[in-house]
Amino acid sequence: MKDDSDAHCPRCDAVLTTPDDRFSTWCAACDWNVDPLGREGPKSLARELARHESVFRRTVADGPDVAPPGAAAYGALVLATAVNLATAALVVTGVWLLFTGTVPQRILGAVELLAAVLLFPRPARPPRHTAGPATAPALHATVGRICAELDARPPDLIAFDAGYGSRWAAVGWRRRRVLVLGLPLWETLAADQRLALLVRELAHAADEGQPRARWIRSALDSLVGWEDLLTPDPAPAGRALDPRHPLAVGGRASNIAHVGEMLARPLLGLLAQAAHLLHSLLRTLDGRCVDQAYRADRTAARIATAASAEGLLQALLLEEPAALALQRLARHGDDLWAALRDHLASVPDSERARRLRLSELRGDASGSGYPPTCLRIRFVRALPRTEPTVTMSAAEARTVDLELAAIRSSVAQECRRNA
């Protein structure tokens, strides 16, 4: 720790202060050294940030429940319908050719059905660190109260991992819904902020259950499958071919195979790129991710207070220093989660302000379809302050901590092995 109030900004000569040696010195007046790594985003970043700013102004003025512009909404539905119908046509024509066609047509039908099967998302395995209703009744009781307030179906499982965030997963052939919470984030949040995290994720899940959302989600999943299916394997560079490879045998067949591979690789690459562009276009036209994020934040502010929702979003800005600290602290034998909490609690206000400014300049959620965290914080700050409709008492919070003791220990050991 040091206080160097005599330092001056090399760009605008403003007085700089370095409250903590662990973090970068920067100038709040001219943004000098706000990004010490000098990361430059793509050329489209400015347009994307401008679009997010426009949507933010519309959301503040009209609310997140107002549908996006008609042309964009209809365009998203038309594109999603075309993608879903193309996938369905693949199955229908595959079955028809397989049972009614000639031998070559049956082979083509089998190939189409195989491609259709590969497009379906693979069933994921259940997460390793799960907290079921039997092992974590207090946590599930809190989730149940939130779901009753939202009129939503509770998750089948709640799981924890070593990430700094939260997500939903569908596991097994039955596609059971699992809420996955990052334990490093969970452990550094206050009880009311944990409640806001649960509300936000459960509100997301309720929003995804709408018919329009499911239809567009199906098209997005299909496009991801098309991109994965069409992306060619990287060409072996500087590596001798296996003697059994057809291109290493030599002769006429080898030449034909070589020419065929040369022609197929760029064609598959173009088709994969087309699927990627259609995926980006559908997300942009839909605008659902943006509205979902604001609706979930508003719901978190209503059920768990706006201050709790803002505290959660402020904590999300510290993802990078939390990951670095977790990796460093995992090499020591101390209580990992207590040490991580102490580290993030000691982050000075100047570093928090730098992270917020970096979100404004770079759009930390750029490319994901979600609005930058800085805009979500501004949105929550503009919401009315109301009393929470669901609360977690201190006794309940302690009970939840006791229920998760084994998971905390297991994830900490996992972090130490990976450090």
Side-chain angles (χ1 to χ4, degrees):
M1 299 281 186
K2 68 178 182 179
D3 186 3
D4 185 8
S5 58
D6 296 327
H8 292 267
C9 173
R11 181 185 296 171
C12 69
D13 205 38
V15 175
L16 302 177
T17 57
T18 309
D20 197 317
D21 289 332
R22 298 171 299 172
F23 303 103
S24 302
T25 302
W26 69 291
C27 180
C30 69
D31 290 334
W32 171 79
N33 206 41
V34 69
D35 187 359
L37 299 179
R39 292 166 291 191
E40 292 294 337
K43 294 181 180 179
S44 60
L45 178 60
R47 293 194 300 270
E48 184 177 358
L49 292 177
R51 181 177 65 85
H52 278 302
E53 186 70 33
S54 175
V55 173
F56 170 75
R57 289 194 295 268
R58 186 259 297 173
T59 302
V60 171
D62 302 330
D65 296 317
V66 177
Y74 286 121
L77 285 176
V78 168
L79 181 55
T81 301
V83 172
N84 288 329
L85 288 180
T87 306
L90 193 68
V91 177
V92 173
T93 57
V95 172
W96 181 72
L97 290 175
L98 189 62
F99 288 99
T100 65
T102 62
V103 173
Q105 288 174 335
R106 289 179 179 180
I107 294 175
L108 178 60
V111 171
E112 289 186 1
L113 289 177
L114 178 61
V117 170
L118 293 176
L119 289 177
F120 284 99
R122 303 276 74 78
R125 294 181 179 179
R128 180 182 175 188
H129 310 288
T130 58
T135 57
L139 176 60
H140 280 268
T142 301
V143 169
R145 295 201 302 272
I146 297 172
C147 289
E149 185 73 21
L150 295 172
D151 193 21
R153 184 166 68 93
D156 298 307
L157 282 175
I158 300 175
F160 292 85
D161 63 12
Y164 192 86
S166 53
R167 58 187 174 88
W168 284 89
V171 302
W173 291 105
R174 295 167 55 192
R175 311 293 292 172
R176 291 189 299 167
R177 298 162 61 253
V178 182
L179 173 58
V180 184
L181 303 171
L183 193 61
L185 174 63
W186 178 268
E187 284 294 312
T188 54
L189 294 177
D192 60 325
Q193 294 168 353
R194 292 177 179 179
L195 195 66
L197 174 63
L198 293 173
V199 174
R200 191 194 69 174
E201 290 303 320
L202 294 169
H204 268 304
D207 219 344
E208 284 284 353
Q210 301 299 320
R212 179 179 182 273
R214 290 200 302 268
W215 184 248
I216 293 179
R217 170 54 56 189
S218 175
L220 289 170
D221 290 342
S222 295
L223 288 171
V224 171
W226 278 115
E227 184 179 358
D228 291 341
L229 185 63
L230 294 170
T231 300
D233 293 331
R239 186 179 60 188
L241 290 175
D242 190 296
R244 295 167 294 179
H245 195 281
L247 300 185
V249 176
R252 180 184 177 88
S254 175
N255 292 333
I256 293 175
H258 182 63
V259 171
E261 184 173 356
M262 289 179 61
L263 294 175
R265 186 177 295 277
L267 178 60
L268 290 175
L270 287 174
L271 292 175
Q273 184 64 23
H276 176 76
L277 292 176
L278 285 175
H279 186 278
S280 300
L281 177 61
L282 181 54
R283 290 183 71 100
T284 302
L285 289 175
D286 179 28
R288 183 169 47 87
C289 292
V290 175
D291 293 331
Q292 272 187 341
Y294 287 128
R295 281 197 295 269
D297 291 335
R298 184 188 60 183
T299 303
R302 176 177 64 85
I303 294 179
T305 76
S308 302
E310 181 181 346
L312 169 62
L313 293 170
Q314 293 280 1
L316 293 177
L317 290 174
L318 300 179
E319 178 177 2
E320 185 177 350
L324 294 174
L326 185 66
Q327 187 175 18
R328 176 176 55 83
L329 295 171
R331 301 190 184 102
H332 304 284
D334 302 331
D335 185 338
L336 178 60
W337 308 120
L340 182 62
R341 282 193 295 269
D342 292 341
H343 175 82
L344 292 186
S346 69
V347 174
D349 292 339
S350 62
E351 176 64 13
R352 296 176 185 272
R354 187 180 75 85
R355 294 283 169 182
L356 183 61
R357 181 58 180 155
L358 199 57
S359 174
E360 296 171 353
L361 294 174
R362 300 288 184 264
D364 50 359
S366 175
S368 67
Y370 290 96
T373 306
C374 60
L375 294 181
R376 297 173 65 183
I377 291 175
R378 287 166 57 187
F379 174 74
V380 169
R381 285 175 177 173
L383 295 175
R385 264 43 183 174
T386 57
E387 293 297 319
T389 58
V390 175
T391 59
M392 180 187 292
S393 66
E396 287 176 320
R398 287 193 296 270
T399 303
V400 170
D401 286 338
L402 292 174
E403 293 173 347
L404 301 180
I407 292 179
R408 279 203 306 274
S409 176
S410 181
V411 176
Q413 292 176 4
E414 181 180 308
C415 292
R416 291 191 172 97
R417 285 195 302 268
N418 298 330

